[in-house]
Amino acid sequence: SGKISSCLEKCNQYSPAETTSVAWQSRIEKPIDNSFFANIQLGIPWELMASLLLCAFFIRDYYTTHCDWTWDGWWYYSKPLFVPTTTAYPLWRAFLPDIFPVPSQ
């Protein structure tokens, strides 16, 4: 139809900015680092590594604060627990137990 041919004629008049093939190749072709460490970096999901590191940190923190180490079994055992003197447990004791400790026997 006439409308399509007029649109095509208008498109033929449009020419994008010409670039040389050298400039185009320099943008596309980048030097590849094929070393061992570069391949490791590409193969490891860093979000997974960060979550594993955080998990290990918090597990270690839990065991160092709530358990004692024994050299006999090469493992941690629970510290002695004490019964609280009250059943009232305000919200600030839940979020700040070091500042507002629960009274115990």
Side-chain angles (χ1 to χ4, degrees), residues 39-99:
N39 289 332
I40 293 295
Q41 183 180 7
L42 290 174
I44 295 176
W46 293 108
E47 292 84 4
L48 175 66
M49 296 306 292
S51 65
L52 289 175
L53 184 68
L54 282 173
C55 183
F57 172 76
F58 286 117
I59 288 173
R60 185 197 60 81
D61 182 54
Y62 172 81
Y63 276 103
T64 55
T65 56
H66 294 93
C67 301
D68 289 326
W69 175 258
T70 177
W71 287 99
D72 296 336
W74 283 72
W75 195 244
Y76 290 97
Y77 62 93
S78 296
K79 290 182 178 180
L81 299 177
F82 299 98
V83 179
T85 57
T86 181
T87 57
Y89 200 73
L91 190 61
W92 59 80
R93 284 191 180 148
F95 289 110
L96 303 168
D98 294 331
I99 298 172

